[in-house]
Amino acid sequence: MVFPQFRARRIRGNETFRRMVRETTLSANDLVYPMFSAFGSGIHKEVSSMPGIYQQSIEYIVAEAREVRDLGIPAVLLFGIPESKDAVGSDAYSDTGIIQETIRAIKKEVPGLAVITDVCLCEYTDHGHCGIIKDGDVDNDSTLELLAREALSHVQAGADMVAPSDMMDGRVGAIRSMLDKHGYERIPLMSYAVKYASGYYGPFREAAESTPQFGDRRSYQMDPANRREALREAASDVDEGADIIMVKPGLPYLDILRDLRNEFDLPLAVYNVSGEYSMVKGAAERGWIDEERVVLETMTAFKRAGADIIITYHAKDVARWLAR
Ligand code: PBG
Ligand code: ZN
């Protein structure tokens, strides 16, 4: 069909028709809200590069978690800022660590909200890397054991799902077998399967106080130039038992999201990361863009590209806008 028989504008002529032919929908059910739990009490400190996002102690986290649940958002993703850090990230797998205490508090006070934990060592190591350092680089295999212990400890504290973000080879399998060995075969694992070494994590590292003290993460996170490699990364996590696979960051990697959607039938998550959030907030504050419109368009783009789950700092605003 060609013009004038075909007129694309006929079906766009009014909002009722547009609603009828809309291919992608967005709901609060699609969202996960990340939160930063800081050791101590009375802490409620806004991250300077992430307006509206706070480092907060447990009493504030619990209050915000309640708000998140009441907005219809099904889950939060927790990051911890421990009292002290060391070379092996001990707080990460301590039964009285910051995350373990936070999980227990949320599970007790906010029933009906799923608690997902970020499993990584960079927030807990004094050098800021995602694993154990040997000969100036992160050692893969000795890190696996600690990650597995960390995941187990989160689950023992009550986490509903664990999300390894370290990018070590074999960590999904190591965590899966540790959980299964301890009777937690029902706990799902969402792997940061395709995580690029990205400049877009800048603001997060201020929020989580996890900037590497030397070097960078390029020896374990993926090269932004690589597309085929993303399929291999995802396939290995699927083989090792991932229940949900994730692409991160979001907007600059929509092609990768679509590739994974076409290749795998597992639920697919996307992480709309800190730098993406900061750019939108910064431009909106200056009046350069319409925040609501740009954020909803971005969320729709994630769904259109194939995401089932969107992890985003905008989650509370999105849920409010959708409820109007
Ligand atoms: C920890 C981790 C990072 C993010 C999630 N988990 C930072 C990093 O790898 O440096 C980034 C999240 C964001 O930027 O919002 N490994
Ligand atoms: Zn890390």
Side-chain angles (χ1 to χ4, degrees):
M1 248 196 331
V2 292
F3 179 82
Q5 287 81 7
F6 175 68
R7 286 180 182 271
R9 292 182 58 186
R10 278 188 205 116
I11 211 66
R12 266 177 227 153
N14 62 63
E15 179 55 17
T16 309
F17 287 170
R18 289 193 291 269
R19 272 169 53 208
M20 289 170 72
V21 301
R22 189 157 290 144
E23 299 175 29
T24 308
T25 59
L26 182 65
S27 114
N29 293 328
D30 305 327
L31 307 171
V32 173
Y33 184 61
M35 297 204 296
F36 300 95
S37 181
F39 179 85
S41 61
I43 299 167
H44 188 69
K45 186 173 165 235
E46 192 168 32
V47 180
S48 65
S49 52
M50 300 177 73
I53 301 298
Y54 295 80
Q55 295 181 333
Q56 26 188 8
S57 45
I58 288 179
E59 72 277 28
Y60 288 102
I61 286 264
V62 166
E64 194 180 24
R66 205 172 279 127
E67 187 192 349
V68 169
R69 179 198 59 191
D70 294 346
L71 283 166
I73 297 166
V76 292
L77 175 62
L78 294 185
F79 297 91
I81 305 155
E83 179 181 22
S84 61
K85 308 189 185 212
D86 62 24
V88 292
S90 304
D91 196 86
Y93 36 91
S94 158
D95 187 45
T96 54
I98 179 64
I99 280 296
Q100 290 78 359
E101 302 288 9
T102 309
I103 297 165
R104 279 190 282 265
I106 297 179
K107 288 313 293 180
K108 176 159 171 267
E109 306 287 338
V110 196
L113 180 72
V115 172
I116 309 173
T117 57
D118 183 85
V119 175
C120 200
L121 294 175
C122 54
E123 299 130 68
Y124 309 95
T125 52
D126 50 15
H127 46 73
H129 276 287
C130 302
I132 301 297
I133 303 296
K134 254 186 211 164
D135 305 325
D137 193 8
V138 174
D139 183 64
N140 196 86
D141 297 11
S142 56
T143 298
L144 294 183
E145 194 192 315
L146 298 185
L147 292 168
R149 277 174 66 186
E150 179 181 10
L152 175 63
S153 154
H154 292 176
V155 170
Q156 285 170 336
D160 299 292
M161 188 187 300
V162 289
S165 68
D166 52 282
M167 291 299 278
M168 297 302 121
D169 292 318
R171 90 270 207 219
V172 170
I175 292 171
R176 185 72 269 162
S177 63
M178 177 70 105
L179 294 183
D180 289 0
K181 197 166 82 194
H182 288 81
Y184 294 111
E185 64 286 332
R186 73 195 156 77
I187 298 289
L189 205 155
M190 172 165 72
S191 84
Y192 290 67
V194 179
K195 178 175 177 184
Y196 287 93
S198 173
Y200 286 92
Y201 307 149
F204 172 94
R205 291 179 189 171
E206 180 200 338
E209 300 180 6
S210 65
T211 306
Q213 297 305 299
F214 64 90
D216 55 41
R217 303 207 202 288
R218 284 176 231 242
S219 80
Y220 42 105
Q221 298 180 348
M222 278 183 56
D223 185 335
N226 293 356
R227 179 175 175 194
R228 295 188 309 265
E229 190 186 353
L231 295 176
R232 295 199 293 273
E233 271 286 0
S236 73
D237 284 11
V238 172
D239 288 345
E240 290 174 33
D243 299 283
I244 301 172
I245 50 178
M246 190 201 299
V247 173
K248 176 182 174 196
L251 264 191
Y253 298 91
L254 288 185
D255 56 332
I256 308 299
L257 198 56
R258 172 45 58 183
D259 283 346
L260 262 61
R261 174 74 300 152
N262 291 345
E263 200 71 22
F264 302 96
D265 53 12
L266 287 178
L268 188 55
V270 64
Y271 200 140
N272 176 221
V273 303
S274 56
E276 300 174 63
Y277 176 83
S278 302
M279 291 194 304
V280 169
K281 293 302 257 192
E285 263 176 18
R286 284 163 186 73
W288 292 347
I289 57 169
D290 174 340
E291 179 176 355
E292 173 175 344
R293 190 166 171 192
V294 165
V295 170
L296 290 177
E297 181 176 335
T298 303
M299 300 298 133
T300 303
F302 291 138
K303 294 288 304 285
R304 192 194 63 233
D308 302 297
I309 297 170
I310 304 169
I311 302 164
T312 180
Y313 304 98
H314 297 290
K316 291 197 301 175
D317 287 333
V318 171
R320 279 190 210 105
W321 292 326
L322 292 176
R324 274 205 318 251

